[in-house]
Amino acid sequence: MEKVEAATARPASPLTERQQARRRRILRASAQLAGRGGFDAVQMREVAESSQVALGTLYRYFPSKIHLLVATMQDQLEHMHGTLRKKPPAGRTPAERVAETLMRAFRALQREPHLADAMVRALTFADRSVSPEVDQVSRQTTAIILDAMGQEHPTPAQLSAVRVIEHTWHSALITWLSGRASIAQVKIDIETVCRLIDLTEPEAP
């Protein structure tokens, strides 16, 4: 098993342009290694070599492989969000648009099954030390769903529905990756849970 070095310090925020470029290289290397061989293929020393950073520098950005892969998931979701904004969903209702959006995101992950498996495994293994990265994944997923809803100021009930939808989407990824659910079943589950959006729609005054 790869040794994980302790690292208490992380780059100051906001990052400089040079630090941002270095972080992007690290995340790109992580995604490429995971895409080729999944979770086990992401070794910190190889990530450092591929991204042309010192191993100690890599650990200052990401204290462990779990931190790195969860951050990779957030980065992948951010790219998906940009793509979705360029071509918004065409559904008539908020529920239809969210279901379409999540299935498009799901199919993007489906095209990179090794990468998807690595990121989801990291998210599953994450403990409290990875909370900031996990929170970023959650916030990015929430932003994608709210954009599809066309909702800038959601009510508490709508936010609750969004959380349930997020949980279902992540669970669907896990069951599909483990071979326990087909794409057709995932689609049914996503469309079903998205109906919660209709139930939380504020009544017209």
Side-chain angles (χ1 to χ4, degrees):
M1 181 178 294
E2 181 181 8
K3 180 182 177 183
V4 176
E5 298 178 10
T8 56
R10 299 195 197 184
S13 184
L15 300 179
T16 65
E17 187 174 332
R18 186 176 179 182
Q19 288 172 326
Q20 289 173 348
R22 184 181 297 133
R23 188 176 188 275
R24 284 194 297 271
R25 290 203 311 272
I26 291 169
L27 292 173
R28 192 181 309 119
S30 170
Q32 288 172 345
L33 288 167
R36 288 199 293 266
F39 184 85
D40 293 336
V42 181
Q43 302 296 321
M44 297 296 269
R45 189 172 298 279
E46 289 190 33
V47 172
E49 291 174 359
S50 296
S51 57
Q52 299 180 318
V53 302
L55 186 59
T57 300
L58 172 59
Y59 277 113
R60 285 198 293 274
Y61 281 81
F62 303 104
S64 74
K65 181 165 83 169
I66 301 299
H67 289 81
L68 173 58
L69 281 169
V70 174
T72 301
M73 185 169 193
Q74 190 276 332
D75 187 59
Q76 293 292 310
L77 288 171
E78 187 176 337
H79 285 300
M80 284 182 199
H81 197 180
T83 300
L84 290 163
R85 279 176 166 167
K86 291 176 184 176
K87 189 179 178 182
R92 292 178 298 104
T93 67
E96 289 177 356
R97 292 194 297 272
V98 172
E100 179 187 338
T101 293
L102 292 179
M103 285 308 299
R104 282 168 61 185
F106 187 88
R107 289 189 181 99
L109 292 171
Q110 185 187 6
R111 290 192 289 271
E112 295 274 3
H114 291 306
L115 173 58
D117 181 64
M119 295 187 301
V120 171
R121 283 178 65 181
L123 199 63
T124 303
F125 296 154
D127 59 21
R128 288 185 180 181
S129 72
V130 198
S131 290
E133 289 81 2
V134 172
D135 288 345
Q136 285 288 342
V137 168
S138 180
R139 280 194 288 271
Q140 190 66 60
T141 309
T142 297
I144 289 171
I145 294 172
L146 291 176
D147 259 14
M149 290 171 62
Q151 184 60 257
E152 293 184 9
H153 305 290
T155 66
Q158 287 173 321
L159 284 175
S160 181
V162 168
R163 284 193 295 271
V164 175
I165 291 168
E166 285 181 37
H167 296 325
T168 302
W169 189 67
H170 288 141
S171 176
L173 278 174
I174 292 169
T175 54
W176 172 71
L177 287 165
S178 64
R180 292 184 286 119
S182 65
I183 299 297
Q185 186 60 56
V186 168
K187 187 173 187 292
I188 291 170
D189 291 350
I190 294 298
E191 289 175 347
T192 299
V193 75
C194 285
R195 292 174 190 160
L196 286 173
I197 294 171
D198 295 334
L199 298 177
T200 57
E201 191 73 21
E203 293 184 6

